[in-house]
Structures are given as structure tokens and as C-alpha cells.
Amino acid sequence: MKGMSLIVKTITNIVIGFIFIFGVYIILHGHLTPGGGFAGGVIIAGVFILKFLAFGSGAKSEKKSLNIASIFESIGGLLFIGIAISGLLLAGTFFLNFLPKGTPLHLLSAGIIPFCNIAISIKVGAGLFSIFLALAAMKYVMED
Amino acid sequence: MIELYLFLAFMIIAAIVATEIKDLLSAVISLGAVGFSVAIMFILIQAPDLAIVQIVIEVLTIVIFIAVISRTTHIDETIGKKLSSTHICAIVLYAFFTILFLIVMFRSLQEIPDFGNPIMKIASEYIKLGLPKTGGANIVADVILDFRALDTLGEATVLFTSVIGVVALMRKSGRKK
Amino acid sequence: MIVFASCIILFLIGLYAVVTKRNLIKIAIGFALIEYAINLLFAFVGFKRGALAPIITQLDTPHNFVDPIPQALVLTAIVIALGTTALMLTIIMRIYNRYKTFDIAEIRKLRG
């Protein structure tokens, strides 16, 4: 997959960090403000998609990125189920909010909800990024 | 609420353009216009969570559609061709189903509450108990990750399955003669 | 009433594309339109006139919020919609590689 022009590359280098930080902010404040795991995960997937579209890459690095994205998606799914099962083991109910609630309207509150947000963001972001890699960047299909 | 009606009209016009235009790239961009007007309407009906998710997902949808079109062709060669008998049959079937559907929808729209006055029998409980029970200030996040977390687990499973399907279908191995 | 009716019109436009179009990409676009129509109708049902978004910002004031349950259900449905659309487009791309056309009438003729 070919890269784009110099203007696009320079602008991408400038904005890419800000978009990533915005995605992390959306995830971590998911229980206080609009947003959450779904939106933040897709924004972080968008960072990597922007990088791939602007700079381009060879077939080898695409294969490697797909493998890494698959691993991260599995990690996200296992984290989410792990939180659910730890509720079952520690307190007796699947998906029980077993952590202390904290003071309302502060960052460290709401028990398991921030951790669920992080797990879902990893899962959704890695999944959508691997969909993009398989559909848009791979050269496999057009060879035959 | 005049702006809501304006965006609804814009959405319907863009949807008609998306289904009828000859160039597939223009059709996909019209689909994007529909999606973004849906996102703005989500803001107008006080659903900022939905608006954020809809905007980012819409961008990704357009990227995937354009990736497919740029690797195949972007002319819809079926428009303007002579109608075959199956096609006429499909249109007749569609007209019949539309009439049936409109009758059913008209009767069921009498049943659901008017626009702007929901019943909120369960929702009032969620709003009242959301902050004391879970500690989260965003009630939507409380509902999807605490009260109805199994729903989210099912969603994660569906997304996982579709990712597996896409990656497995685009592999080169497994197609050896 | 007009608001719900326009969602139904959008649904019918999408169904028209799915049933009568012969191009595979147009059929995928029709499915996407149907998904938007369902999500929008569901979110409209929970709207309350004069209410705020369901996010608590002050602890001691009485809450006047829109219905959060349709928003929570639609939030997951939007993400699933992208997954199903991507799977559909993958199969469409495979079909194009094999038959070199998007026309379903041609594909039916070339089968075998």
C-alpha cells in the first residue's frame, strides 16, 4: 500500500498524538462524561488507520500488524470476561460491581466500570483495526 | 424542533440519492451524508454518547466502503439495463410488502407513546438508582456496563465473530487448488 | 408522528434497495440504511421534551433526563452494524474476484 504526499505526512505527524490522547481521555472518563469504551476504542483504531493510510507500508509489516492486533483483541476479550468472573468468584454474582464505589463525580469511582471501559476499548479498537487491515491493506485477494 | 425536521428531510433525500445514483463512489458519499445527519439528530435528541460513536463508526464505514470500491470498480453497470422478469417480480413483491408494512406500522404507531413523552417506567428506576448503586455519573455507561453487562458481552461476541469471518475470508491460504 | 414516519420511510428506501437493486454494493448500502433507520427510530422513542442528556453533573438537584435504555441498546447496535457491514463487504469482494462483476443477474447466469 502506497503512502500519500508530503503535506499529508507532515500534518499526520502533528495531529496523531493529540488524537491518541483524546481517545485515552474519552476512555478513562467514560463513567463521568459522554463517551466510553466503544467510542474511545474506535478513535484509537482511527489513529492507526490514519498512520497506515498516510505513510503506507509493505506487505510484511501489514501481516505483523494483523497478528499483533489479533493478540490485543484476544487480550481485551479475556480482560472483560476476567472482570466478570472475578465478580463471580469474589462476591458470588457474574458481573457484580465488587470494587468500592468511591466518591461520586471523581475519576476514581464507579467500581469496575472504568476497567470494563478499558477492556472494551482494547477489544473494539483492535477488532476494527484488524477489519481495516484485512479489507483495505492486504494484497492477498487481488493476486489471483 | 424545526432543525430536526430539516435534518430528517435531508436524510431522506440523501438516502434516495444513495440508492439511485450511477457512480458507486457518489453513492457511498451519500450514505455518509445520511450517517452524519443521523449523528447530528442524536445530538438534537440529547444523546451525546450515541453521537460520538455514530460519527467515528461512520468514518470507518466510509473508509471500508471506499477501500472495497477502489480495489474493484466504481461504475454501477446495472442501471439503465432492460428489466428482466425476476426484476419486475421483485418490484411487485416490494410494492405488496410496502402496503402490508404501512398498514402494520400505522396500527402500531397508535400504540407507542407520542414523540417527546416516553413512558419511562424502568428508566426512572435506573436514573434514581444509577449513582447510588454503581457510582458512575453517566447513566448510559451504568446501564451498558453494570445493569445490562451481559448485553455488552453478547455484543463483544458478535464483533469477535465478524472479525474472525473477515480475516478468514481474506486469507490467501486455504484457496490452494 | 412525522418523526417516526420519516424513520419508516428511510427503512422502506433501504428495503427497496435490498429487494430490487441488482448491484451488490447497492444492496450493502441498503442494509446500512435499514440499520440507521432502526437505530434512529429506537432513539426517538426515548426522547423526552425539555429533558437533558442522562449524565449527572450536580448531586443535589432533581434529575430530568431522557430515557437512557434505548440509548444503551442502540450504542451496542451501532458497533455491531459496522461488523456485519464489513463481513458483507468481504464476501462481496470475494464474489467480484471470482466473477469480475457486481451484477447479481450475471452471477446467477455464470454459476456452474
Side-chain angles (χ1 to χ4, degrees):
Chain A
M1 183 170 177
K2 277 205 314 247
M4 290 189 180
S5 66
L6 183 65
I7 299 171
V8 180
K9 283 180 185 170
T10 313
I11 298 292
T12 305
N13 264 334
I14 295 169
V15 267
I16 209 163
F18 292 109
I19 302 175
F20 192 85
I21 291 173
F22 179 64
V24 173
Y25 161 76
I26 289 257
I27 293 165
L28 290 184
H29 288 72
H31 55 294
L32 301 175
T33 55
F38 292 104
V42 185
I43 289 171
I44 287 182
V47 171
F48 292 105
I49 289 171
L50 176 63
K51 186 170 168 298
F52 258 76
L53 284 178
F55 289 98
S57 64
K60 204 159 237 175
S61 76
E62 282 158 11
K63 188 106 202 255
K64 215 159 131 194
S65 311
L66 186 59
N67 287 339
I68 294 173
S70 310
I71 291 171
F72 266 101
E73 188 183 5
S74 310
I75 288 174
L78 285 177
L79 263 179
F80 193 49
I81 296 179
I83 291 168
I85 289 181
S86 59
L88 179 65
L89 292 180
L90 294 175
T93 313
F94 203 59
F95 271 120
L96 187 73
N97 200 340
F98 60 91
L99 289 175
K101 306 292 180 292
T103 43
L105 306 184
H106 281 75
L107 188 58
L108 283 176
S109 66
I112 62 167
I113 291 178
F115 299 101
C116 284
N117 267 331
I118 293 170
I120 286 178
S121 69
I122 292 173
K123 175 154 178 38
V124 170
L128 295 182
F129 182 56
S130 49
I131 283 180
F132 165 79
L133 275 181
L135 261 175
M138 290 274 169
K139 287 235 162 40
Y140 291 166
V141 172
M142 301 312 278
E143 280 172 2
D144 52 356
Chain B
M1 292 252 88
I2 183 72
E3 63 271 24
L4 191 64
Y5 298 117
L6 282 177
F7 277 109
L8 280 170
F10 175 72
M11 177 185 80
I12 288 171
I13 293 168
I16 293 171
V17 170
T19 54
E20 287 302 328
I21 205 164
K22 191 175 170 65
D23 190 4
L24 288 178
L25 211 52
S26 314
V28 169
I29 290 166
S30 306
L31 180 72
V34 178
F36 282 118
S37 52
V38 167
I40 293 172
M41 277 187 277
F42 281 152
I43 295 177
L44 292 179
I45 62 166
Q46 303 286 340
D49 294 272
L50 292 183
I52 294 174
V53 175
Q54 174 71 34
I55 284 179
V56 287
I57 288 284
E58 187 56 43
V59 171
L60 260 182
T61 311
I62 297 173
V63 166
I64 289 174
F65 263 103
I66 289 178
V68 170
I69 287 171
S70 70
R71 304 176 112 206
T72 51
T73 177
H74 64 92
I75 303 294
D76 184 0
E77 70 269 15
T78 60
I79 286 193
K81 272 192 184 171
K82 185 157 76 44
L83 297 181
S84 65
S85 57
T86 5
H87 196 223
I88 294 167
C89 191
I91 291 177
V92 171
L93 203 72
Y94 172 74
F96 173 72
F97 183 78
T98 303
I99 293 166
L100 202 71
F101 187 78
L102 283 178
I103 292 169
V104 173
M105 282 316 288
F106 187 72
R107 290 181 70 99
S108 59
L109 278 184
Q110 314 272 322
E111 299 286 325
I112 63 176
D114 282 342
F115 179 65
N117 300 309
I119 298 176
M120 298 186 67
K121 210 168 191 176
I122 309 168
S124 57
E125 289 294 311
Y126 280 161
I127 290 171
K128 204 165 60 188
L129 296 177
L131 194 61
K133 286 259 185 194
T134 67
N138 186 352
I139 307 282
V140 177
D142 293 349
V143 173
I144 62 169
L145 292 176
D146 197 308
F147 294 120
R148 287 172 172 265
L150 281 175
D151 201 359
T152 312
L153 188 62
E155 184 274 340
T157 316
V158 174
L159 190 66
F160 194 67
T161 315
S162 77
V163 171
I164 288 176
V166 171
V167 173
L169 275 170
M170 297 302 281
R171 284 169 70 123
K172 196 181 177 190
S173 57
R175 276 172 57 82
K176 293 201 176 91
K177 305 283 185 314
Chain C
M1 199 69 173
I2 300 171
V3 176
F4 295 147
S6 34
C7 291
I8 291 162
I9 291 171
L10 185 64
F11 181 90
L12 286 175
I13 292 169
L15 193 74
Y16 169 76
V18 171
V19 174
T20 66
K21 288 289 164 185
R22 288 166 56 188
N23 190 305
L24 282 170
I25 295 276
K26 287 286 176 66
I27 291 174
I29 288 175
F31 273 111
L33 289 177
I34 288 177
E35 278 153 3
Y36 292 152
I38 302 284
N39 290 342
L40 200 57
L41 179 66
F42 211 21
F44 277 151
V45 169
F47 177 65
K48 187 175 173 189
R49 216 172 280 275
L52 296 173
I55 291 155
I56 297 170
T57 49
Q58 285 159 351
L59 287 177
D60 39 3
T61 50
H63 307 311
N64 181 21
F65 289 155
V66 298
D67 197 343
I69 301 174
Q71 296 190 16
L73 297 180
V74 168
L75 189 66
T76 55
I78 292 173
V79 181
I80 291 176
L82 178 60
T84 51
T85 307
L87 190 57
M88 199 157 35
L89 285 173
T90 316
I91 297 172
I92 288 171
M93 211 159 151
R94 276 300 194 195
I95 290 173
Y96 184 86
N97 269 310
R98 176 133 184 190
Y99 295 108
K100 302 292 175 214
T101 178
F102 278 141
D103 190 348
I104 54 171
E106 296 286 325
I107 292 167
R108 200 175 290 139
K109 229 181 284 172
L110 290 171
R111 187 175 55 194

